């Protein structure tokens, strides 16, 4: 937990041996989880010393100690999976995530993805949760899962250990594609209401590369593919969307055609008045934002029927009949 899952907290500390009286260096949870995963609960309740030191851990993957004549640096090459509670008991969607969680924005920006899990009132989900808890207390085991195939813990350990053996690289052919996607995310943020909460920086680009390599490891691949990059960008868009205002997120979720139309309109404005837009470019940005190709095709046909645009060259180009205004 945030108060320290080991006797010395999350990072490291110098303690005195109870028998010999000598000073010893003992590693904390992040040091013990070197080359693994460190799961931290109550992340918002960290000690001030750990909160200061964890910046170095998440940036440089090391823990520096200079206490009681001991000066050293310990490896803390671990992934951090953290959970935090809102500051006032309930999440306030009108406040930024850093204000709700009571953590500095500099620390939150070091996480690759953030997801908001809100406790919404829903009769079905509340019934299933209560039924599950009552079953566990009655029979002292989890209820059976109605699934075709369930993987046990031993299989998952072997699968993850095998995936760790691979170190996929990003080919030069994807460099321009990743650069264009990063610039597109920066432009979308400038026009989005989420710019008050999040800032797309160079750390975002590093997060895309890390997630892409992780997805390649799941396939036991030695090279990152374009699909891995698209999926990592989609995860980042979904992460930001989960932290939007609830009303705005609901509106976005039920109106995908309007969002795809906005993508095409922005590309048309960039191309210049009267210039066509490639359908492939619209599809690329739509997939990055989590939309399906069927939704794109439906959007093309709907706005073609409304005479907003016309499709040319075997439906590969979009030309607005009336150029969109800025």
């Amino acid at each position: 937990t945030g108060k320290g899952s080991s006797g010395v907290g999350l990072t490291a500390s110098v303690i005195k041996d109870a028998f010999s009286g000598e000073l010893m260096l003992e590693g904390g949870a992040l040091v013990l989880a070197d080359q693994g995963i460190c799961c931290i609960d109550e992340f918002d309740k960290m000690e001030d010393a750990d909160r200061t030191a964890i910046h170095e851990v998440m940036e440089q993957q090391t823990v520096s100690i200079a206490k009681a004549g001991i000066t050293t640096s310990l490896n803390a090459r671990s992934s951090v999976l953290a959970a935090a509670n809102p500051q006032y008991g309930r999440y306030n969607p009108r406040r930024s995530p850093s204000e709700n969680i009571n953590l500095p924005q500099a620390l939150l920006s070091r996480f690759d993805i953030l997801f908001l899990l809100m406790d919404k009132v829903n009769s079905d989900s509340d019934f299933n949760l209560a039924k599950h808890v009552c079953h566990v207390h009655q029979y002292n085991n989890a209820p059976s899962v109605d699934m075709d195939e369930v993987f046990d813990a031993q299989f998952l350990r072997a699968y993850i250990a095998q995936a760790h053996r691979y170190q996929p690289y990003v080919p030069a052919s994807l460099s321009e594609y990743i650069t264009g996607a990063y610039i597109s995310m920066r432009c979308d943020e400038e026009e989005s209401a989420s710019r008050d909460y999040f800032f797309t920086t160079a750390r975002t680009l590093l997060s895309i590369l890390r997630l892409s390599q992780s997805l390649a490891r799941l396939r036991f691949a030695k090279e990152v593919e374009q699909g891995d990059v698209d999926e990592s960008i989609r995860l980042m868009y979904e992460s930001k969307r989960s932290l939007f205002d609830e009303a705005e997120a609901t509106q976005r979720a039920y109106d995908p055609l309007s969002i795809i139309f906005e993508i095409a309109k922005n590309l048309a404005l960039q191309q210049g008045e009267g210039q066509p837009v490639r359908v492939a470019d619209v599809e690329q940005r739509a997939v990055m934002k989590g939309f399906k190709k069927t939704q794109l095709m439906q959007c093309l046909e709907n706005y073609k029927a409304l005479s907003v645009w016309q499709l040319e060259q075997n439906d590969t180009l979009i030309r607005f009949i009336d150029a969109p205004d800025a």
Side-chain angles (χ1 to χ4, degrees), residues 34 95-96 105 119 157 159 170 246 250 262 265 308-309 321:
D34 185 36
R95 291 179 175 268
S96 66
Q105 186 67 32
D119 184 16
R157 290 193 194 96
Y159 185 89
V170 180
E246 184 177 357
T250 303
E262 289 295 328
K265 187 178 75 170
V308 175
W309 59 43
I321 297 177

Side-chain angles (χ1 to χ4, degrees), residues 11-82:
T11 52
S13 180
V14 177
I15 60 176
K16 181 178 290 188
D17 186 78
F19 298 99
S20 63
E22 296 181 353
L23 296 177
M24 298 189 309
L25 179 64
E26 185 174 347
L30 289 168
V31 177
L32 296 176
D34 185 36
Q35 294 186 340
I37 300 176
C38 182
C39 301
I40 306 173
D41 195 10
E42 307 289 351
F43 193 67
D44 54 310
K45 300 176 179 61
M46 285 190 301
E47 301 288 351
D48 292 337
D50 286 334
R51 184 173 297 184
T52 302
I54 202 171
H55 282 271
E56 178 191 359
V57 174
M58 301 187 70
E59 187 72 25
Q60 303 177 13
Q61 302 280 280
T62 58
V63 174
S64 299
I65 291 292
K67 295 180 181 178
I70 300 177
T71 303
T72 185
S73 180
L74 303 175
N75 288 328
R77 299 161 295 181
S78 62
S79 301
V80 178
L81 176 63

Side-chain angles (χ1 to χ4, degrees), residues 32-318:
L32 296 176
D34 185 36
Q35 294 186 340
I37 300 176
C38 182
C39 301
I40 306 173
D41 195 10
E42 307 289 351
F43 193 67
D44 54 310
K45 300 176 179 61
M46 285 190 301
E47 301 288 351
D48 292 337
D50 286 334
R51 184 173 297 184
T52 302
I54 202 171
H55 282 271
E56 178 191 359
V57 174
M58 301 187 70
E59 187 72 25
Q60 303 177 13
Q61 302 280 280
T62 58
V63 174
S64 299
I65 291 292
K67 295 180 181 178
I70 300 177
T71 303
T72 185
S73 180
L74 303 175
N75 288 328
R77 299 161 295 181
S78 62
S79 301
V80 178
L81 176 63
N85 295 318
Q87 184 176 5
Y88 302 107
R90 301 288 293 182
Y91 190 89
N92 186 355
R94 293 179 178 83
R95 291 179 175 268
S96 66
S98 59
E99 293 174 340
N100 274 286
I101 307 173
N102 193 26
L103 287 174
Q105 186 67 32
L107 183 58
L108 289 178
S109 65
R110 282 171 165 79
F111 286 93
D112 292 338
I113 50 178
L114 299 170
F115 283 98
L116 172 62
L117 302 177
M118 293 188 66
D119 184 16
K120 301 178 182 179
V121 179
N122 185 288
S123 300
D124 295 334
S125 59
D126 293 342
F127 173 77
N128 292 331
L129 176 62
K131 185 178 179 181
H132 177 85
V133 173
C134 292
H135 186 281
V136 172
H137 277 265
Q138 183 177 2
Y139 300 103
N140 200 24
N141 59 8
S144 59
V145 181
D146 186 14
M147 298 179 65
D148 295 336
E149 187 175 5
V150 178
F151 300 108
D152 56 8
Q154 183 178 0
F155 173 83
L156 291 177
R157 290 193 194 96
Y159 185 89
I160 294 173
Q162 183 66 22
H164 270 297
R165 297 171 180 261
Y166 291 84
Q167 299 295 331
Y169 66 93
V170 180
S173 58
L174 282 180
S175 300
E176 185 176 350
Y177 181 76
I178 297 175
T179 303
Y182 171 70
I183 295 173
S184 175
M185 292 179 68
R186 296 268 293 183
C187 295
D188 291 344
E189 183 188 72
E190 187 66 24
E191 302 169 0
S192 173
S194 64
R195 63 179 179 271
D196 297 332
Y197 296 165
F198 290 99
F199 302 95
T200 301
T201 61
R203 285 178 183 161
T204 307
L205 182 58
L206 294 175
S207 299
I208 294 174
L209 294 174
R210 281 193 293 265
L211 290 173
S212 301
Q213 290 177 315
S214 299
L215 291 168
R217 286 192 185 97
L218 292 178
R219 299 184 292 104
F220 296 161
K222 298 181 179 179
E223 181 178 327
V224 176
E225 297 180 355
Q226 182 175 334
D228 300 325
V229 179
D230 291 339
E231 178 63 16
S232 64
I233 296 175
R234 188 192 70 83
L235 287 173
M236 301 201 71
Y237 271 114
E238 291 296 327
S239 170
K240 291 183 178 181
R241 187 179 302 177
S242 71
L243 294 163
F244 286 156
D245 179 53
E246 184 177 357
E248 181 184 355
T250 303
Q251 180 181 1
R252 285 170 174 259
Y254 285 96
D255 194 14
L257 302 187
S258 298
I259 303 176
I260 297 175
F261 173 77
E262 289 295 328
I263 295 173
K265 187 178 75 170
N266 292 334
L267 287 174
L269 291 173
Q270 296 174 10
Q271 294 287 344
E273 184 176 354
Q275 297 297 321
V277 177
R278 296 175 64 244
V279 175
D281 294 338
V282 179
E283 180 181 355
Q284 173 185 331
R285 297 199 177 189
V287 170
M288 287 180 183
K289 292 192 174 184
F291 299 108
K292 300 178 180 178
K293 188 174 181 179
T294 55
Q295 294 173 326
L296 171 64
M297 302 307 298
Q298 185 180 357
C299 178
L300 294 176
E301 295 299 329
N302 284 6
Y303 284 96
K304 177 183 176 182
L306 294 173
S307 298
V308 175
W309 59 43
Q310 59 185 12
L311 302 178
E312 301 176 351
Q313 297 186 9
N314 295 328
D315 297 343
T316 59
L317 293 178
I318 300 173

